[in-house]
Coordinates of all heavy atoms in Angstrom, one line a residue:
Chain A
P216 N 4.3 10.4 40.6 CA 4.9 9.4 39.7 C 6.0 8.6 40.4 O 6.7 9.1 41.3 CB 5.6 10.2 38.6 CG 4.9 11.5 38.6 CD 4.6 11.8 40.0
Q217 N 6.1 7.3 40.0 CA 7.3 6.6 40.3 C 8.2 6.5 39.0 O 8.9 7.5 38.8 CB 6.9 5.2 40.9 CG 6.4 5.3 42.3 CD 6.1 4.0 43.0 OE1 6.8 3.0 42.7 NE2 5.1 4.0 43.8
C218 N 8.0 5.5 38.2 CA 8.8 5.5 37.0 C 8.3 6.5 36.0 O 9.0 6.9 35.1 CB 8.8 4.1 36.4 SG 7.3 3.7 35.4
G219 N 7.1 6.9 36.2 CA 6.5 8.0 35.3 C 5.9 7.6 34.0 O 5.3 8.3 33.3
Y220 N 6.2 6.3 33.6 CA 5.9 5.9 32.3 C 4.4 6.0 32.0 O 3.9 6.3 30.9 CB 6.4 4.5 32.0 CG 6.4 4.1 30.6 CD1 7.4 4.4 29.7 CD2 5.3 3.3 30.1 CE1 7.3 4.0 28.4 CE2 5.3 2.9 28.7 CZ 6.3 3.3 27.9 OH 6.3 2.9 26.6
C221 N 3.5 5.6 32.9 CA 2.1 5.6 32.7 C 1.5 7.0 32.9 O 0.3 7.1 32.6 CB 1.4 4.6 33.7 SG 1.4 5.3 35.4
Q222 N 2.3 7.9 33.4 CA 1.6 9.1 33.9 C 1.1 10.1 32.8 O 0.2 10.8 33.0 CB 2.6 9.9 34.8 CG 3.1 9.1 36.0 CD 2.0 8.8 37.0 OE1 0.9 9.4 37.0 NE2 2.2 7.8 37.9
Q225 N -2.3 8.7 32.4 CA -3.1 9.0 33.6 C -3.5 10.5 33.6 O -4.7 10.8 33.9 CB -2.3 8.8 34.9 CG -1.6 7.4 35.0 CD -2.5 6.3 35.5 OE1 -3.7 6.5 35.7 NE2 -2.0 5.1 35.7
I252 N -3.5 1.4 33.6 CA -2.7 0.6 34.5 C -1.4 1.4 35.0 O -0.8 2.1 34.1 CB -2.2 -0.7 33.9 CG1 -3.4 -1.6 33.6 CG2 -1.2 -1.4 34.8 CD1 -3.1 -2.9 32.8
C253 N -1.1 1.3 36.3 CA 0.1 1.8 36.7 C 0.8 0.6 37.4 O 0.4 0.2 38.5 CB 0.0 3.0 37.8 SG 1.6 3.4 38.5
R254 N 1.8 0.1 36.8 CA 2.5 -1.1 37.3 C 3.2 -0.7 38.6 O 3.5 -1.6 39.5 CB 3.4 -1.7 36.3 CG 4.2 -2.9 36.7 CD 3.3 -4.1 37.1 NE 3.9 -5.4 37.0 CZ 3.6 -6.4 37.7 NH1 2.6 -6.4 38.6 NH2 4.2 -7.6 37.6
C255 N 3.7 0.5 38.7 CA 4.3 1.0 39.9 C 3.4 1.1 41.1 O 3.8 1.2 42.2 CB 5.1 2.3 39.7 SG 6.4 2.2 38.5
G256 N 2.1 1.2 40.8 CA 1.1 1.3 41.9 C 0.9 2.6 42.5 O 0.8 2.7 43.7
T257 N 0.8 3.7 41.7 CA 0.6 5.0 42.3 C -0.9 5.4 42.4 O -1.2 6.6 42.5 CB 1.3 6.1 41.4 OG1 0.8 6.1 40.1 CG2 2.8 5.8 41.3
Chain B
M511 N 5.7 -1.3 32.7 CA 4.9 -0.6 31.7 C 5.6 -0.4 30.4 O 5.0 -0.4 29.4 CB 4.4 0.7 32.3 CG 3.2 0.7 33.2 SD 1.9 -0.5 32.7 CE 1.1 0.4 31.4
G560 N 11.0 2.7 32.2 CA 9.5 2.7 32.6 C 9.2 1.5 33.4 O 8.5 0.6 32.9
G561 N 9.8 1.4 34.6 CA 9.7 0.2 35.4 C 10.8 -0.8 35.0 O 11.2 -0.9 33.9
Ligands
FES295 S1 4.5 5.3 37.5 FE1 5.4 3.5 36.7 S2 3.8 2.6 35.7 FE2 2.9 4.2 36.7

Side-chain angles (χ1 to χ4, degrees):
Chain A
Q217 287 187 31
C218 81
Y220 193 82
C221 73
Q222 302 293 343
Q225 306 279 4
I252 295 175
C253 175
R254 181 58 158 155
C255 299
T257 60
Chain B
M511 278 320 285

